[in-house]
Amino acid sequence: SQTIHQWPATLVQPVGSPLSLECTVEGTSNPNLYWYRQAAGRGLQLLFYSVGIGQISSEVPQNLSASRPQDRQFILSSKKLLLSDSGFYLCAWNPWTGGTEAFFGQGTRLTVV
Amino acid sequence: AQSVTQPDIHITVSEGASLELRCNYSYGATPYLFWYVQSPGQGLQLLLKYFSGDTLVQGIKGFEAEFKRSQSSFNLRKPSVHWSDAAEYFCAVGARGGKLIFGQGTELSVKP
């Protein structure tokens, strides 16, 4: 069966520090991968999605970037964090064929101080 | 552009009472529709989904939802709420490429 792992679960980082959040999926090949951010009272905002290695689409302009160095690995990064980057970050996947629900990781709570 | 609206930010119901959470969507074609639930600090769990066919879909934990094309709605219902149902609920529409567009969420509180 497929599983998705996301880490760390919580992170407190100072303003201006770098960020790296990692997400891996097991038990499937060539998944679509997504990064969502959940800010308080603002629902889930799609940040990035990827349909294959090295293929990243950005949904909103921001201080973050994403990379997909391997088929089942998706990384969210920042060179210099801002206070506004605080939030709950969720990684998700669905089959490359699309047309199904997305399966979510447990999330990372990022607090920028 | 696709969008999802959940008009109720917060709802409080008494345990044992019925529940209906509203969801309206905007999408050009026949939509894929989903309801997810999120417990505090956790990821999202799928409650139910609609792709085609019967417009009344059954999900886990006793939830159901009805797709009404004429009203562009996909409301979530449960006949009798349990205290463990307290959580945040998200409605979503499946967009091109497999992306999900989410509503703002409805936080459900349950009174004993």
Side-chain angles (χ1 to χ4, degrees):
Chain A
S1 63
Q2 302 89 359
T3 55
I4 179 169
H5 302 281
Q6 188 180 341
W7 67 92
T10 60
L11 193 58
V12 180
Q13 292 283 98
V15 169
S17 64
L19 173 72
S20 181
L21 303 182
E22 188 162 345
C23 172
T24 60
V25 180
E26 296 178 355
T28 188
S29 296
N30 197 26
N32 295 330
L33 295 171
Y34 308 89
W35 279 111
Y36 286 86
R37 177 169 59 198
Q38 187 177 19
R42 297 187 61 185
L44 287 98
Q45 182 183 37
L46 179 62
L47 302 177
F48 300 96
Y49 72 96
S50 172
V51 298
I53 295 174
Q55 300 180 62
I56 309 294
S57 296
S58 174
E59 290 292 298
V60 293
Q62 60 205 311
N63 184 45
L64 302 169
S65 62
S67 62
R68 184 170 176 173
Q70 300 180 45
D71 181 43
R72 289 169 288 179
Q73 184 185 30
F74 205 25
I75 297 172
L76 184 69
S77 304
S78 174
K79 292 182 180 178
K80 290 186 178 182
L81 283 168
L82 305 173
L83 287 174
S84 58
D85 291 324
S86 293
F88 192 54
Y89 289 83
L90 287 157
C91 181
W93 76 275
N94 61 11
W96 68 272
T97 50
T100 73
E101 66 268 32
F103 302 91
F104 284 81
Q106 289 298 94
T108 296
R109 171 71 60 192
L110 172 65
T111 304
V112 183
V113 297
Chain B
Q2 302 95 349
S3 65
V4 177
T5 301
Q6 294 180 245
D8 304 307
I9 295 174
H10 191 191
I11 285 182
T12 299
V13 300
S14 298
E15 190 168 16
S18 63
L19 171 70
E20 182 169 29
L21 302 183
R22 296 183 291 164
C23 172
N24 292 96
Y25 67 89
S26 173
Y27 192 70
T30 300
Y32 296 154
L33 295 162
F34 309 89
W35 274 100
Y36 284 85
V37 61
Q38 183 184 35
S39 297
Q42 299 296 311
L44 275 69
Q45 180 183 24
L46 181 71
L47 283 176
L48 47 78
K49 59 188 177 184
Y50 171 77
F51 287 169
S52 65
D54 193 348
T55 57
L56 183 64
V57 294
Q58 303 296 321
I60 62 171
K61 304 184 180 185
F63 286 92
E64 66 178 26
E66 186 171 13
F67 170 58
K68 293 186 177 180
R69 185 188 301 276
S70 62
Q71 299 178 19
S72 297
S73 69
F74 189 56
N75 295 347
L76 181 71
R77 299 194 294 252
K78 186 170 185 177
S80 178
V81 169
H82 188 262
W83 64 266
S84 60
D85 294 324
E88 189 151 21
Y89 292 79
F90 292 94
C91 181
V93 63
R96 183 178 55 85
K99 296 180 288 184
L100 296 188
I101 308 299
F102 284 87
Q104 293 298 93
T106 298
E107 184 179 356
L108 173 66
S109 298
V110 181
K111 293 189 299 185

